[in-house]
Amino acid sequence: MSSPTNGRRAATYTVLGSALLALSLCVYPASWLFSHYFVQSKVPCFSDVCDDNKGSNQQKTRNMLVAFYTFLLFTAAVALAAKLFAPVRRVLSVRVGGSSSTVTLGEIVWFFLAGFVALFVCSAANWKLIYPKEFNGQDEFTQSLMDFLMVLTGDSLGVLFGFVMLPASKYSAINDFLGLPYTATVRVHIWLAYLAFWTLLSHISFALINLSFDKDALSTIFALKGKKTPGWGHETYLYIVGDVAFFAFLFVLLTSFKFVRRRFYNAFYFSHFMVIVVLLFAYFHAAIMIHYSIPGIALWTIDGILRLASRVKGNAIVSLTQEPAGFRTMTIASTRGAVCRPGHFVRICVPAVSIAEYHPLSVVRATPDSITLMFAPDKESQWTARMTKHIETRLAAGGKPPIAQVQGPFGSVSRLASDPSMHSLVAYVAGTGAAPAFAILRAAVEQRLNAADNAEAAEFLTVGQRKDAAKTVGGTTVRAELRRAGPRLYLFWVASGAGLELASEVVDLARAVGASDAMLTVHVFDTSEPGSVRAAAVAGELAELPGVEVHSSRARPHLLALLGRYVSGPVSSAVDAGGRPAPVGIFVCGPDRFIEDSLVSVTRFQQENRGVPVELEVESYGL
């Protein structure tokens, strides 16, 4: 199990995971050292403009590198503080931008600080280009100003590329260790890419204005420059290679739009490899463009090698279960299950269906030798439908099982499952968004069971429970109290289709809860035929399990009403072991509109229950 204090996989690193973390940490000082020797001309320069290792530019580049890596070190320190201390985490997790926004204060602050470092530090480093300096006439001042802005935006672009590359890796041992939320890093990655593009446009604009002061200089934009000193390294190919970098970056940006990501995932995925062209030709354009991207490139390379390794060995698909409402749960024999945690997803490819297509699927459950995933087959022509047909045909025929190639796990480990001080843990999900919710809720149950066997977990008990436990240390009373110390669990599942309450994962979760002295309420909402039919309690085995309530409705739910019905009253007087208000954990996953409506409800709940801490985790289909 993950650490009780932070929900990460601190105690579960494999030898490979520990080696990857050590290697990733070494990347940063190694990259800094490489750039240090680079600017001293001790490393060959293959750029057409190698002016960062000449004269005073050496000191300028060193100063910018100090600012860049110092900012990253500061980021790591804040991330560790947020991981270890809940108050810091809650401040950084405050949502900004409206009641339906998923953007957090931490993301906004870091983005603006990164932009400030890129622009302000570069401005200070290049200020000597314009001050102190005497000018003969307005034209000379304007040309010097444009030259300053051109160099400023060019240097800033190099720093921004470095920031953009850091979150580019699907898997990052450092991000995982620091507890950085996956969705937040992806969102900041997108923002920084847009900022870099606008900075690039500004760089081009200032260069054009600067060129306009020279006779027929504008004609060199798509031609060679410096005919008197031809050859590489004399700014001869400065604009040609810059043009290639610009159009390659534009292509990557256009194929990254949400419309493309959601409808043509693999086109979006493979087009991102054009970043190699962008960085290569940006380096050919000017050497300073590469210094800050070196750690991101190194980490991206490590991630790429791990992904390519998935091609070496296939994994047998053990089973494919048809669930109510058209869902499927698929179990794959894979040792990657040993490092999968709640909140993780994997990317899978079924070579018999398509040798090139990888698709992300959330992990429902994992064992040391298998992973179980949930998905809903789409239209007949879509990959999920073709994969389903192939697997069902092969499994029915017997013989060799169908093969899948697995990459990952990726994503952030949910903290919600590992905090026994919570009063309630609520999962409000739509469709296949239930997959990570099952993993989180099941982990919360396992956390409770493990706590019963761990004397150290007594610190999570209330004062009264600790007194009772002290009287019967090692006895059954202590175990029972510990097993009851965790949060009350709620699963609200919204989907189009009947019978969701009988899905295999619902049944399995209910059985685990019944054996753990936990309390679970499951309410499924069938939206295929909305009506006013009252919620019906589910009969059969689930109705007889202790601590389990299962209901089904034909209606569209409202999260605020559900929180008011199940959580608001009890949580108002609940406290943790330290006498502080007990937090409420809320996990939301679904399409954008579903997320927006849910977050409005969460905001209203917080307003109506001031003083009650809310730990919110959101996974949107939009990212």
Side-chain angles (χ1 to χ4, degrees):
M1 286 299 296
S2 52
S3 167
T5 57
N6 53 50
R8 310 302 294 179
R9 53 166 117 166
T12 59
Y13 277 109
T14 61
V15 173
L16 176 60
S18 300
L20 287 173
L21 178 59
L23 178 61
S24 299
L25 289 172
C26 290
V27 160
Y28 289 91
S31 300
W32 195 346
L33 190 63
F34 176 84
S35 294
H36 178 77
Y37 281 102
F38 189 101
V39 299
Q40 291 184 332
S41 301
K42 295 184 179 181
V43 177
C45 176
F46 301 101
S47 174
D48 196 34
V49 181
C50 296
D51 60 353
D52 56 342
N53 56 8
K54 297 177 182 177
S56 61
N57 282 343
Q58 286 191 10
Q59 190 59 47
K60 180 191 80 171
T61 305
R62 289 197 195 99
N63 291 342
M64 291 169 60
L65 287 167
V66 168
F68 178 76
Y69 284 101
T70 300
F71 178 69
L72 294 183
L73 187 61
F74 168 76
T75 300
V78 174
L80 277 176
K83 175 182 176 180
L84 298 174
F85 304 105
V88 178
R89 184 168 64 250
R90 287 172 186 149
V91 169
L92 296 178
S93 299
V94 171
R95 292 183 290 121
V96 296
S99 60
S100 63
S101 172
T102 61
V103 178
T104 64
L105 178 63
E107 296 169 53
I108 293 290
V109 171
W110 192 90
F111 171 73
F112 278 101
L113 286 177
F116 176 80
V117 168
L119 295 174
F120 176 78
V121 171
C122 292
S123 297
N126 291 291
W127 189 245
K128 63 182 179 63
L129 292 174
I130 195 171
Y131 179 86
K133 194 173 183 180
E134 294 183 0
F135 304 101
N136 296 319
Q138 184 66 31
D139 286 349
E140 185 176 333
F141 170 77
T142 304
Q143 186 172 10
S144 295
L145 178 61
M146 291 302 105
D147 186 57
F148 164 72
L149 293 174
M150 179 183 68
V151 176
L152 163 64
T153 51
D155 289 355
S156 298
L157 196 57
V159 178
L160 288 173
F161 275 171
F163 286 140
V164 169
M165 286 301 299
L166 288 176
S169 303
K170 281 288 184 184
Y171 171 72
S172 170
I174 294 179
N175 289 0
D176 193 47
F177 174 75
L178 294 177
L180 297 177
Y182 180 78
T183 53
T185 58
V186 171
R187 189 153 41 215
V188 170
H189 170 73
I190 295 171
W191 294 348
L192 288 169
Y194 286 135
L195 178 59
F197 184 73
W198 285 110
T199 304
L200 175 56
L201 290 180
S202 301
H203 178 65
I204 294 172
S205 300
F206 295 134
L208 291 175
I209 296 174
N210 196 37
L211 283 171
S212 68
F213 288 93
D214 299 327
K215 294 181 179 179
D216 60 286
L218 289 175
S219 63
T220 65
I221 296 173
F222 295 100
L224 301 182
K225 180 188 175 185
K227 296 182 176 60
K228 294 182 180 179
T229 56
W232 190 262
H234 298 281
E235 301 185 13
T236 306
Y237 303 91
L238 178 67
Y239 299 114
I240 293 293
V241 294
D243 294 338
V244 175
F246 169 74
F247 287 110
F249 189 23
L250 180 62
F251 176 75
V252 172
L253 197 71
L254 292 175
T255 55
S256 300
F257 287 159
K258 187 175 179 179
F259 174 84
V260 179
R261 292 201 314 268
R262 293 293 299 155
R263 290 169 176 79
F264 308 101
Y265 175 79
N266 282 280
F268 151 75
Y269 174 74
F270 286 110
S271 69
H272 255 53
F273 287 98
M274 282 291 288
V275 169
I276 298 173
V277 176
V278 176
L279 295 175
L280 183 63
F281 278 84
Y283 167 66
F284 288 157
H285 176 74
I288 200 169
M289 297 297 294
I290 202 65
H291 291 304
Y292 314 95
S293 297
I294 292 173
I297 292 172
L299 296 175
W300 194 43
T301 302
I302 294 171
D303 179 46
I305 293 172
L306 293 175
R307 293 195 227 178
L308 286 175
S310 69
R311 294 284 189 180
V312 176
K313 180 183 177 182
N315 304 93
I317 299 175
V318 178
S319 65
L320 182 67
T321 304
Q322 183 167 349
E323 306 284 358
F327 293 105
R328 301 289 194 282
T329 50
M330 174 172 62
T331 299
I332 303 174
S334 173
T335 55
R336 295 176 188 268
V339 292
C340 285
R341 298 293 175 266
H344 276 161
F345 69 92
V346 296
R347 298 176 72 248
I348 72 164
C349 170
V350 180
V353 177
S354 174
I355 196 171
E357 288 190 69
Y358 275 85
H359 288 262
L361 296 175
S362 291
V363 176
V364 177
R365 71 166 75 207
T367 67
D369 55 6
S370 71
I371 54 175
T372 300
L373 314 169
M374 175 183 282
F375 65 95
D378 209 330
K379 299 177 182 178
E380 191 66 27
S381 60
Q382 296 297 320
W383 176 82
T384 50
R386 290 184 283 120
M387 178 186 70
T388 301
K389 183 177 180 180
H390 166 74
I391 295 173
E392 289 177 340
T393 301
R394 288 289 301 272
L395 290 176
K400 290 186 176 180
I403 298 298
Q405 295 171 342
V406 182
Q407 294 180 350
F410 306 117
S412 301
V413 181
S414 173
R415 294 187 178 94
L416 299 179
S418 58
D419 188 355
S421 68
M422 284 187 179
H423 171 272
S424 303
L425 174 53
V426 179
Y428 185 64
V429 295
T432 54
F438 285 124
I440 292 170
L441 294 174
R442 185 178 291 107
V445 175
E446 293 173 356
Q447 171 78 21
R448 188 188 305 254
L449 289 172
N450 288 351
D453 298 321
N454 185 354
E456 293 178 358
E459 64 179 284
F460 299 127
L461 292 176
T462 63
V463 175
Q465 289 171 331
R466 280 203 297 270
K467 289 180 179 178
D468 292 338
K471 298 175 183 177
T472 56
V473 175
T476 56
T477 302
V478 131
R479 294 172 57 84
E481 292 291 347
L482 284 166
R483 288 168 67 162
R484 284 194 291 268
R488 181 72 157 84
L489 308 178
Y490 300 92
L491 172 62
F492 304 124
W493 187 8
V494 185
S496 178
L500 291 172
E501 67 276 7
L502 300 177
S504 61
E505 293 303 319
V506 173
V507 174
D508 180 79
L509 176 64
R511 288 172 177 167
V513 168
S516 69
D517 290 334
M519 301 291 287
L520 169 69
T521 296
V522 176
H523 200 148
V524 297
F525 298 87
D526 175 11
T527 60
S528 59
E529 298 180 30
S532 58
V533 179
R534 291 185 60 187
V538 177
E541 176 192 359
L542 298 184
E544 299 175 358
L545 291 172
V548 177
E549 295 180 17
V550 183
H551 304 275
S552 64
S553 298
R554 285 185 178 178
R556 293 188 180 277
H558 194 263
L559 179 57
L560 182 60
L562 294 172
L563 292 174
R565 175 182 175 184
Y566 291 105
V567 179
S568 291
V571 79
S572 61
S573 57
V575 295
D576 62 12
R580 299 175 296 270
V584 174
I586 301 178
F587 175 78
V588 181
C589 184
D592 291 347
R593 183 58 185 273
F594 179 85
I595 295 292
E596 291 172 3
D597 292 343
S598 303
L599 293 181
V600 171
S601 293
V602 172
T603 301
R604 289 282 304 279
F605 174 78
Q606 291 177 293
Q607 293 171 347
E608 295 173 2
N609 297 271
R610 295 189 182 278
V612 176
V614 174
E615 293 275 359
L616 176 66
E617 291 184 3
V618 178
E619 287 191 19
S620 173
Y621 293 171
L623 288 178

